[in-house]
Short mmCIF file of all heavy atoms in Angstrom, two decimals:
data_model
loop_
_atom_site.label_atom_id
_atom_site.label_comp_id
_atom_site.label_asym_id
_atom_site.label_seq_id
_atom_site.Cartn_x
_atom_site.Cartn_y
_atom_site.Cartn_z
N GLY A 122 9.58 1.04 -15.98
CA GLY A 122 9.46 0.16 -17.13
C GLY A 122 8.46 -0.96 -16.94
O GLY A 122 7.73 -1.31 -17.88
N SER A 123 8.38 -1.52 -15.74
CA SER A 123 7.45 -2.63 -15.53
C SER A 123 6.01 -2.15 -15.65
O SER A 123 5.17 -2.81 -16.28
CB SER A 123 7.69 -3.27 -14.16
OG SER A 123 7.50 -2.34 -13.11
N ALA A 124 5.68 -0.98 -15.08
CA ALA A 124 4.32 -0.46 -15.15
C ALA A 124 3.90 -0.19 -16.59
O ALA A 124 2.78 -0.53 -17.00
CB ALA A 124 4.20 0.81 -14.31
N LEU A 125 4.80 0.40 -17.38
CA LEU A 125 4.48 0.69 -18.77
C LEU A 125 4.34 -0.60 -19.58
O LEU A 125 3.47 -0.71 -20.45
CB LEU A 125 5.56 1.58 -19.38
CG LEU A 125 5.76 2.94 -18.70
CD1 LEU A 125 6.81 3.75 -19.45
CD2 LEU A 125 4.45 3.72 -18.62
N SER A 126 5.20 -1.56 -19.29
CA SER A 126 5.14 -2.84 -20.00
C SER A 126 3.86 -3.59 -19.68
O SER A 126 3.26 -4.23 -20.55
CB SER A 126 6.36 -3.70 -19.65
OG SER A 126 7.57 -3.04 -20.00
N ILE A 127 3.42 -3.51 -18.42
CA ILE A 127 2.16 -4.15 -18.02
C ILE A 127 0.99 -3.53 -18.76
O ILE A 127 0.12 -4.23 -19.29
CB ILE A 127 1.97 -4.04 -16.50
CG1 ILE A 127 2.98 -4.94 -15.76
CG2 ILE A 127 0.54 -4.41 -16.08
CD1 ILE A 127 3.07 -4.66 -14.28
N ALA A 128 0.96 -2.20 -18.82
CA ALA A 128 -0.13 -1.51 -19.51
C ALA A 128 -0.13 -1.87 -21.00
O ALA A 128 -1.18 -2.08 -21.60
CB ALA A 128 0.00 0.00 -19.33
N HIS A 129 1.06 -1.94 -21.60
CA HIS A 129 1.16 -2.27 -23.01
C HIS A 129 0.72 -3.71 -23.28
O HIS A 129 -0.04 -3.98 -24.21
CB HIS A 129 2.60 -2.08 -23.49
CG HIS A 129 2.85 -2.52 -24.89
ND1 HIS A 129 3.42 -3.74 -25.19
CD2 HIS A 129 2.58 -1.92 -26.09
CE1 HIS A 129 3.52 -3.87 -26.50
NE2 HIS A 129 3.02 -2.78 -27.07
N GLU A 130 1.18 -4.63 -22.45
CA GLU A 130 0.87 -6.05 -22.67
C GLU A 130 -0.61 -6.34 -22.49
O GLU A 130 -1.19 -7.14 -23.22
CB GLU A 130 1.70 -6.92 -21.74
CG GLU A 130 1.49 -8.42 -21.93
CD GLU A 130 2.47 -9.26 -21.15
OE1 GLU A 130 3.62 -8.82 -20.95
OE2 GLU A 130 2.09 -10.37 -20.73
N THR A 131 -1.24 -5.69 -21.51
CA THR A 131 -2.66 -5.95 -21.23
C THR A 131 -3.58 -5.04 -22.01
O THR A 131 -4.81 -5.17 -21.93
CB THR A 131 -2.94 -5.79 -19.73
OG1 THR A 131 -2.60 -4.46 -19.31
CG2 THR A 131 -2.16 -6.80 -18.91
N LYS A 132 -2.99 -4.08 -22.76
CA LYS A 132 -3.77 -3.12 -23.55
C LYS A 132 -4.72 -2.29 -22.68
O LYS A 132 -5.80 -1.89 -23.13
CB LYS A 132 -4.54 -3.82 -24.67
CG LYS A 132 -3.64 -4.47 -25.71
CD LYS A 132 -4.46 -5.14 -26.81
CE LYS A 132 -3.57 -5.62 -27.95
NZ LYS A 132 -2.55 -6.59 -27.50
N LEU A 133 -4.30 -2.02 -21.45
CA LEU A 133 -5.08 -1.16 -20.57
C LEU A 133 -4.53 0.27 -20.65
O LEU A 133 -3.33 0.48 -20.44
CB LEU A 133 -5.01 -1.66 -19.13
CG LEU A 133 -5.98 -2.77 -18.74
CD1 LEU A 133 -5.62 -3.34 -17.36
CD2 LEU A 133 -7.41 -2.26 -18.74
N PRO A 134 -5.34 1.26 -20.94
CA PRO A 134 -4.87 2.64 -21.01
C PRO A 134 -4.36 3.13 -19.65
O PRO A 134 -4.85 2.71 -18.60
CB PRO A 134 -6.12 3.42 -21.43
CG PRO A 134 -7.04 2.41 -22.03
CD PRO A 134 -6.77 1.14 -21.29
N LEU A 135 -3.39 4.02 -19.69
CA LEU A 135 -2.88 4.65 -18.48
C LEU A 135 -3.76 5.86 -18.15
O LEU A 135 -4.02 6.70 -19.01
CB LEU A 135 -1.43 5.10 -18.67
CG LEU A 135 -0.40 3.99 -18.76
CD1 LEU A 135 0.95 4.54 -19.22
CD2 LEU A 135 -0.25 3.28 -17.42
N ALA A 136 -4.21 5.93 -16.89
CA ALA A 136 -5.11 7.01 -16.48
C ALA A 136 -4.36 8.11 -15.73
O ALA A 136 -4.60 9.29 -15.95
CB ALA A 136 -6.22 6.45 -15.61
N GLY A 137 -3.48 7.74 -14.82
CA GLY A 137 -2.80 8.74 -14.01
C GLY A 137 -1.83 8.08 -13.05
O GLY A 137 -1.64 6.86 -13.07
N ILE A 138 -1.21 8.91 -12.21
CA ILE A 138 -0.23 8.39 -11.26
C ILE A 138 -0.27 9.22 -9.98
O ILE A 138 -0.49 10.44 -10.02
CB ILE A 138 1.19 8.41 -11.87
CG1 ILE A 138 2.20 7.74 -10.92
CG2 ILE A 138 1.64 9.83 -12.21
CD1 ILE A 138 3.57 7.52 -11.57
N SER A 139 -0.06 8.57 -8.86
CA SER A 139 0.08 9.24 -7.56
C SER A 139 1.55 9.24 -7.19
O SER A 139 2.20 8.19 -7.20
CB SER A 139 -0.73 8.50 -6.49
OG SER A 139 -0.47 9.07 -5.21
N ARG A 140 2.07 10.43 -6.87
CA ARG A 140 3.50 10.52 -6.54
C ARG A 140 3.73 11.18 -5.19
O ARG A 140 4.78 11.77 -4.95
CB ARG A 140 4.25 11.26 -7.64
CG ARG A 140 4.29 10.50 -8.94
CD ARG A 140 5.48 10.86 -9.79
NE ARG A 140 5.30 12.10 -10.52
CZ ARG A 140 6.23 12.66 -11.29
NH1 ARG A 140 7.40 12.08 -11.43
NH2 ARG A 140 5.98 13.78 -11.93
N SER A 141 2.74 11.07 -4.30
CA SER A 141 2.89 11.61 -2.95
C SER A 141 1.85 10.98 -2.04
O SER A 141 0.71 10.76 -2.44
CB SER A 141 2.71 13.13 -2.96
OG SER A 141 2.64 13.63 -1.63
N PRO A 142 2.22 10.68 -0.77
CA PRO A 142 1.25 10.16 0.18
C PRO A 142 0.38 11.26 0.78
O PRO A 142 -0.57 10.98 1.52
CB PRO A 142 2.13 9.51 1.25
CG PRO A 142 3.40 10.31 1.22
CD PRO A 142 3.59 10.68 -0.22
N ASP A 143 0.68 12.51 0.43
CA ASP A 143 -0.07 13.66 0.94
C ASP A 143 -1.39 13.79 0.19
O ASP A 143 -1.40 13.91 -1.04
CB ASP A 143 0.77 14.93 0.76
CG ASP A 143 0.14 16.15 1.41
OD1 ASP A 143 -1.06 16.11 1.75
OD2 ASP A 143 0.86 17.16 1.57
N VAL A 144 -2.50 13.75 0.92
CA VAL A 144 -3.81 13.79 0.27
C VAL A 144 -4.06 15.10 -0.46
O VAL A 144 -4.88 15.17 -1.38
CB VAL A 144 -4.92 13.53 1.32
CG1 VAL A 144 -5.06 14.73 2.24
CG2 VAL A 144 -6.24 13.20 0.65
N THR A 145 -3.35 16.15 -0.09
CA THR A 145 -3.53 17.45 -0.76
C THR A 145 -2.74 17.55 -2.06
O THR A 145 -2.93 18.51 -2.82
CB THR A 145 -3.12 18.62 0.16
OG1 THR A 145 -1.72 18.52 0.45
CG2 THR A 145 -3.91 18.59 1.46
N LYS A 146 -1.84 16.59 -2.29
CA LYS A 146 -1.09 16.57 -3.55
C LYS A 146 -1.89 15.75 -4.56
O LYS A 146 -2.04 14.54 -4.40
CB LYS A 146 0.30 15.94 -3.35
CG LYS A 146 1.19 16.69 -2.38
CD LYS A 146 1.61 18.03 -2.94
CE LYS A 146 2.50 18.79 -1.95
NZ LYS A 146 3.77 18.08 -1.67
N PRO A 147 -2.45 16.37 -5.57
CA PRO A 147 -3.38 15.68 -6.48
C PRO A 147 -2.71 14.59 -7.31
O PRO A 147 -1.48 14.58 -7.48
CB PRO A 147 -3.91 16.80 -7.36
CG PRO A 147 -2.83 17.83 -7.36
CD PRO A 147 -2.22 17.77 -5.98
N LEU A 148 -3.53 13.69 -7.81
CA LEU A 148 -3.06 12.72 -8.78
C LEU A 148 -2.66 13.45 -10.05
O LEU A 148 -3.16 14.53 -10.35
CB LEU A 148 -4.17 11.71 -9.10
CG LEU A 148 -4.75 10.92 -7.93
CD1 LEU A 148 -5.92 10.06 -8.41
CD2 LEU A 148 -3.69 10.06 -7.27
N GLU A 149 -1.75 12.88 -10.80
CA GLU A 149 -1.29 13.49 -12.04
C GLU A 149 -1.80 12.67 -13.22
O GLU A 149 -1.67 11.45 -13.24
CB GLU A 149 0.24 13.54 -12.08
CG GLU A 149 0.85 14.31 -10.92
CD GLU A 149 2.36 14.17 -10.87
OE1 GLU A 149 2.97 13.95 -11.95
OE2 GLU A 149 2.94 14.25 -9.78
N SER A 150 -2.40 13.35 -14.20
CA SER A 150 -2.84 12.65 -15.40
C SER A 150 -1.63 12.19 -16.20
O SER A 150 -0.59 12.84 -16.20
CB SER A 150 -3.71 13.58 -16.27
OG SER A 150 -4.95 13.83 -15.66
N LEU A 151 -1.79 11.08 -16.89
CA LEU A 151 -0.74 10.58 -17.76
C LEU A 151 -1.18 10.70 -19.21
O LEU A 151 -2.28 10.32 -19.58
CB LEU A 151 -0.40 9.12 -17.42
CG LEU A 151 0.39 8.89 -16.14
CD1 LEU A 151 0.63 7.40 -15.91
CD2 LEU A 151 1.73 9.64 -16.18
#
């Protein structure tokens, strides 16, 4: 909730998210 609220308040588009410290696990588009 905090990340989404920050993006909404600052009007910055969401680009993607990293959900693993493994470099072979790609970033995920949002």
